[in-house]
Amino acid sequence: MKTNERGQAILEIALVLPFLLFLILAGADFMWFEHQAVNLSYITTQAAVCETQVGCDPKVYSTNAASGLLLNPVNLTVTINGPKSVTLTYHANALFGFLPPLTLTRTATTP
């Protein structure tokens, strides 16, 4: 391999590597948001079931469940819409900061 070819390969890697790292980290941020959305959906469904139980407070349940599922309870807002309906709003932050923060909202109603 000639020395100028080696220099060209290093230059190509130097140009492509930041783009590849950006794609990988942005993809990880997207998966992190998806993970948070799935957990929020689960907590919302369970909080709606909790609303129908005697002695179960959906706000306390949601806060405890959020901390156990890697969600920050400080960013969680619980709204009780009726006797069998609960809405949760979560302000999600990106894991690596490549994507802007999102506000996720889920509503669940039990029959």
Side-chain angles (χ1 to χ4, degrees), residues 60-106:
V60 173
Y61 175 81
S62 300
T63 302
N64 291 337
S67 62
L69 293 174
L70 301 177
L71 298 177
N72 187 353
V74 175
N75 296 340
L76 184 67
T77 304
V78 180
T79 306
I80 301 171
N81 302 327
K84 296 180 179 181
S85 179
V86 176
T87 299
L88 270 66
T89 304
Y90 184 71
H91 301 288
N93 294 316
L95 192 60
F96 295 107
F98 285 100
L99 298 176
L102 293 177
T103 299
L104 306 170
T105 303
R106 300 290 187 266

Side-chain angles (χ1 to χ4, degrees), residues 2-106:
K2 296 180 184 176
T3 57
N4 61 355
E5 289 177 0
R6 187 184 315 161
Q8 179 183 355
I10 291 173
L11 179 64
E12 289 175 0
I13 289 174
L15 291 174
V16 173
L17 190 61
F19 180 70
L20 288 176
L21 284 175
F22 172 76
L23 285 178
I24 291 169
L25 295 178
D29 275 347
F30 178 77
M31 288 187 292
W32 177 247
F33 281 138
E34 188 64 30
H35 172 73
Q36 291 177 337
V38 168
N39 284 341
L40 187 65
S41 295
Y42 173 75
I43 294 170
T44 305
T45 304
Q46 294 302 312
V49 171
C50 175
E51 175 65 21
T52 63
Q53 306 289 325
V54 176
C56 186
D57 184 10
K59 292 183 179 183
V60 173
Y61 175 81
S62 300
T63 302
N64 291 337
S67 62
L69 293 174
L70 301 177
L71 298 177
N72 187 353
V74 175
N75 296 340
L76 184 67
T77 304
V78 180
T79 306
I80 301 171
N81 302 327
K84 296 180 179 181
S85 179
V86 176
T87 299
L88 270 66
T89 304
Y90 184 71
H91 301 288
N93 294 316
L95 192 60
F96 295 107
F98 285 100
L99 298 176
L102 293 177
T103 299
L104 306 170
T105 303
R106 300 290 187 266

